[in-house]
Amino acid sequence: MSVITIERKVLEKNDQVAAGNRRMFAERGIFVLNLVSSPGSGKTSILEKTFEDLRDAMKMAVIEGDVQTDLDAQRVSRYGVPVVQIVTLGGCHLEANLVRDALEKLDLTGVELLFIENVGNLVCPSGYDLGEAMKVVVLSTTEGDDKPLKYPAMIRNSSVLLINKIDLIPYVPCDLDTLRNNALKINPGLKIFEISCVTGEGISAWCDWLKKKETPAR
Ligand code: MG
Ligand code: ZN
């Protein structure tokens, strides 16, 4: 029981800091997306494609969360987007205080859209509010079509599902209808985009939607 109590206190404290982050984002008019997925599903590649598509349309910034290395920050910095890397040194999710501290190192002047790339993990990032407008969960076709059923909290707490690597559909045992239906069973309000960072399919639909800065009802 004591473990449960400590966990609840940690989450309560996190929610308070997240509320502060959210107020700051609202004051500055910054639309913030918390990008969550398992490792290797393509979060950083999606960011690269998004920056290519949107960099003339709006000013963006990114907070990269990783257990180790600043490799992802190096990748996105090539697009001229302000970036700060959080290295969690083993921590398996981002918390609101880490984001608050990272924001102090980020030049947010004129930034309209901020991406927070969470640590690759489909479990605990679902429980940690960072102050974002919404969570965007990425599932790639190589992970199979059963993942929404196995990680329901992440699907329930997300507003958007990006199904990535659709170019691999002919080669992997993943049925797109099954994947979509499994996700919608858990969260009927989920907005779904099917994309490929290799062929570019679906990227412009995703980016056109981002420009509207809508938060789907949950
Ligand atoms: Mg990454
Ligand atoms: Zn964790």
Side-chain angles (χ1 to χ4, degrees):
M1 289 303 285
S2 62
V3 174
I4 292 168
T5 306
I6 290 165
E7 177 69 4
R8 189 177 299 137
K9 278 190 178 151
V10 167
L11 285 174
E12 276 171 13
K13 174 77 179 117
N14 182 75
D15 284 348
Q16 286 169 16
V17 178
N21 290 348
R22 186 167 284 112
R23 271 195 301 277
M24 191 277 262
F25 295 141
E27 281 163 13
R28 287 175 165 260
I30 304 174
F31 189 54
V32 184
L33 305 184
N34 180 358
L35 211 52
V36 292
S37 80
S38 60
S41 61
K43 295 186 295 306
T44 312
S45 297
I46 291 167
L47 286 179
E48 290 177 307
K49 288 290 165 194
T50 303
F51 296 152
E52 277 175 17
D53 193 287
L54 283 181
R55 63 180 154 190
D56 295 330
M58 51 174 41
K59 187 158 179 204
M60 296 170 283
V62 57
I63 295 173
E64 284 288 347
D66 278 292
V67 169
Q68 203 57 264
T69 81
D70 64 352
L71 293 172
D72 285 355
Q74 289 179 36
R75 279 173 65 185
V76 300
S77 68
R78 289 200 295 261
Y79 295 81
V81 172
V83 55
V84 173
Q85 176 82 50
I86 299 172
V87 176
T88 63
L89 299 173
C92 51
H93 58 267
L94 291 182
E95 296 187 15
N97 60 340
L98 294 174
V99 170
R100 180 195 58 200
D101 296 349
L103 288 167
E104 285 171 15
K105 297 178 199 141
L106 204 52
D107 181 8
L108 292 173
T109 312
V111 168
E112 291 177 71
L113 188 56
L114 171 67
F115 294 95
I116 304 171
E117 182 181 337
N118 218 308
V119 177
N121 176 353
L122 276 178
V123 186
C124 40
S126 73
Y128 285 84
D129 184 10
L130 305 178
E132 72 272 3
M134 62 180 156
K135 288 184 175 66
V136 174
V137 59
V138 182
L139 293 176
S140 59
T141 58
T142 52
E143 298 164 61
D145 48 35
D146 59 350
K147 288 302 164 293
L149 304 178
K150 296 179 84 170
Y151 300 96
M154 193 61 100
I155 297 296
R156 199 174 301 119
N157 290 333
S158 296
S159 303
V160 176
L161 166 62
L162 299 180
I163 301 176
N164 191 25
K165 308 189 189 178
I166 56 167
D167 52 300
L168 296 179
I169 275 291
Y171 314 105
V172 294
C174 175
D175 182 74
L176 272 182
D177 285 335
T178 306
L179 177 50
R180 259 191 307 262
N181 291 336
N182 283 341
L184 291 171
K185 244 183 272 175
I186 292 158
N187 182 353
L190 202 59
K191 178 100 182 149
I192 301 177
F193 295 93
E194 293 163 15
I195 61 172
S196 164
C197 296
V198 175
T199 65
E201 193 178 346
I203 297 291
S204 60
W206 152 245
C207 289
D208 286 347
W209 182 80
L210 274 179
K211 282 184 207 160
K212 295 190 232 163
K213 301 181 190 172
E214 276 173 7
T215 309
R218 284 190 36 224

